[in-house]
Amino acid sequence: MLLTVTCLGQFMVLLDSTIVGAALPDMQQRLHTGLTGLQWIVDAYVLLVAMLLLSGGVFADRFGRKRVFLAGVVVFTLASVLCSVAPSIGWLITGRVVQGVGAAALSPASLALLAAAYPLAQERVKAIGLWAGFSGIGLAAGPLAGGVLVDAFGWPAIFLVNVPIGAVLLLAGLRVLGESRNPNAPAIDIPGTVLSVLGVGALTYGLIEGGSRGWTSPVILGSFAAGLALLAAFVVVEGRVSTPMLPLRLFRQRLFTVSNTAMVVVGFALMGSSFFFSQFFVYVQGSSILVAGLRTLPATLAMVIVSPFAGRFAARYGFRIVVTAGLALAGLGLLALGNVHADTGYGNVWWRLAVVGIGFALTMSPLTGASIQAVSPQEGGLASGVSSTTRQIGAVLGVAVLGAIVRTRQSGGASFESGLNSAFIAAGAVTLVSAVFTGLWLVRSKPAQGSTPHARSTDSPTVTTPS
């Protein structure tokens, strides 16, 4: 029963990730917002998850995994209600921020509960495999469920679906989950957490708002300057505190640095491009929201089917070959998507989405594995958490940057279709450059020395994908 509860919690988080993408066109019409508003609906959530994920794992260890898990469920569910009744874009964005806080607590705590409940390595691997499987089901169900719900009831329904799931999780969790904590858990890095949220948030604001306010306006230039200053302060703080949320010494290992750099690109290109999938089918090809949700399935299903094999391929052929091949496939698929048009038949579109999904599926698990291999065994949990965080940071930037490309093209007189083509091509080019980068530099390195005895076991990789 404990396994069911934790898996259902992760399922809810992952379902929300992909179900929102299907509802973006309806949100744009009913809330009378533009591309900038849609970017904030997605990035407000992803930003909070990215910046609080590591801290959520530490909270679970320090204050109790059951307590943090249930708190995350309550916050996520109440935030879903707030989103569903939001009368304006501002209220919806606020609800998405709160959802991100809940997800950042719920997701790592669910995996920590599993790790504590299954101390034997073999049993733990099986439990985590089921946990990841539920994640895949959530990812695959999102576009279809989103299309059906939005077509029948409108976009608020995609958030209301979380309410019964959250209620079941809360009632069952109170009964079946046992409390556990790590008495030696490190202190919470509050300054680092605050600086990272503000720094990345300021950069995101500049990237999203720059298209409408003007790239040289004082507000936008000020946001970029503030973001860089805050991130510089974050680096200084992380180098001085005794228990940093992001130990900078880990980046002395080339394998760790290269794998996490590539993971930023994965988040950037995957999230940034999939943000536009439903919009392409609705606004460029004139599909209904339900049909658009169905037509985006090849990318998600390809990821769900291929992901379980990626780790095996990496074990057999090595990280470098599998990751480089995956990035190359994804990059070529995105370039191919940059050449679809309003009159392109779906028979000539679906395979491009599938190639993108297969490519990225081949990269995520091996990149996390490479990150873990680069550090000592005691810090494997922290390394996997950093890998998840870098992917989420890339996702935040992907939605912001590719959205800025579309908006800039439109402001220059180009059509929305042309703007999308430019965004897909840009994402593909960045991904192909990253493939060359990993092909040259993703090699084995020695584990980091001087490891601390504290292993943040709750910071295992969470499968978070496009909202």
Side-chain angles (χ1 to χ4, degrees), residues 76-93:
F76 192 90
T77 305
L78 292 178
S80 298
V81 175
L82 175 59
C83 289
S84 70
V85 299
S88 65
I89 186 69
W91 278 106
L92 179 55
I93 292 171

Side-chain angles (χ1 to χ4, degrees), residues 17-391:
S17 296
T18 51
I19 202 172
V20 170
L24 290 176
D26 191 54
M27 291 176 177
Q28 184 169 13
Q29 295 171 7
R30 299 196 184 203
L31 293 173
H32 308 291
T33 187
L35 181 59
T36 298
L38 299 183
Q39 288 175 278
W40 279 120
I41 290 171
V42 174
D43 265 358
Y45 173 83
V46 180
L47 174 64
L48 269 294
V49 174
M51 297 296 98
L52 299 181
L53 189 63
L54 290 173
S55 296
V58 178
F59 263 85
D61 273 348
R62 195 170 182 83
F63 298 111
R65 289 141 186 169
K66 174 181 178 179
R67 180 179 300 174
V68 172
F69 176 83
L70 294 179
V73 169
V74 170
V75 171
F76 192 90
T77 305
L78 292 178
S80 298
V81 175
L82 175 59
C83 289
S84 70
V85 299
S88 65
I89 186 69
W91 278 106
L92 179 55
I93 292 171
T94 300
R96 293 287 282 164
V97 168
V98 181
Q99 264 195 323
V101 174
L106 189 164
S107 189
S110 69
L111 198 53
L113 284 165
L114 282 184
Y118 296 92
L120 297 179
Q122 188 173 5
E123 293 180 353
R124 184 185 300 176
V125 168
K126 292 180 181 178
I128 293 176
L130 289 173
W131 181 88
F134 265 80
S135 300
I137 295 172
L139 292 178
L144 176 59
V148 171
L149 290 171
V150 173
D151 190 65
F153 306 107
W155 66 262
I158 67 165
F159 296 110
L160 286 175
V161 74
N162 295 325
V163 176
I165 300 176
V168 169
L169 282 172
L170 182 61
L171 293 175
L174 287 170
R175 290 174 58 88
V176 306
L177 297 180
E179 187 58 281
S180 63
R181 56 173 52 87
N182 177 11
N184 298 317
I188 298 167
D189 180 14
I190 295 177
T193 302
V194 172
L195 287 171
S196 64
V197 172
L198 294 178
V200 177
L203 290 179
T204 303
Y205 178 86
L207 290 168
I208 291 179
E209 298 290 338
S212 59
R213 294 178 178 269
W215 295 106
T216 59
S217 69
V219 172
I220 299 304
L221 292 177
S223 70
F224 285 137
L228 293 175
L230 288 164
L231 291 177
F234 169 77
V235 171
V236 172
V237 168
E238 294 303 278
R240 294 183 177 181
V241 297
S242 58
T243 55
M245 62 177 285
L246 182 62
L248 300 179
R249 58 180 169 73
L250 297 180
F251 289 92
R252 297 172 188 162
Q253 297 295 320
R254 186 168 77 178
L255 182 60
F256 187 86
T257 301
V258 172
S259 60
N260 281 285
T261 301
M263 192 65 94
V264 171
V265 173
V266 169
F268 175 94
L270 174 59
M271 184 71 157
S273 61
S274 60
F275 172 76
F276 290 109
F277 287 169
S278 289
Q279 296 180 66
F280 166 77
F281 288 118
V282 172
Y283 295 129
V284 176
Q285 295 202 323
S287 301
S288 68
I289 292 177
L290 174 58
V291 171
L294 291 171
R295 289 185 171 182
T296 62
L297 278 174
T300 310
L301 288 176
M303 292 182 65
V304 171
I305 294 170
V306 175
S307 289
F309 299 97
R312 302 178 196 175
F313 292 154
R316 183 172 182 178
Y317 301 108
F319 295 128
R320 178 163 57 178
I321 291 176
V322 176
V323 170
T324 301
L327 288 171
L329 271 178
L332 292 173
L334 288 168
L335 290 181
L337 281 175
N339 289 285
V340 296
H341 304 286
D343 57 354
T344 305
Y346 185 66
N348 202 21
V349 175
W350 73 266
W351 63 266
R352 306 175 195 232
L353 293 169
V355 169
V356 171
I358 291 170
F360 284 125
L362 289 173
T363 64
M364 287 190 282
S365 176
L367 283 175
T368 301
S371 181
I372 293 172
Q373 181 178 288
V375 304
S376 65
Q378 293 86 354
E379 291 184 315
L382 174 59
S384 62
V386 172
S387 183
S388 294
T389 299
T390 53
R391 186 177 70 248

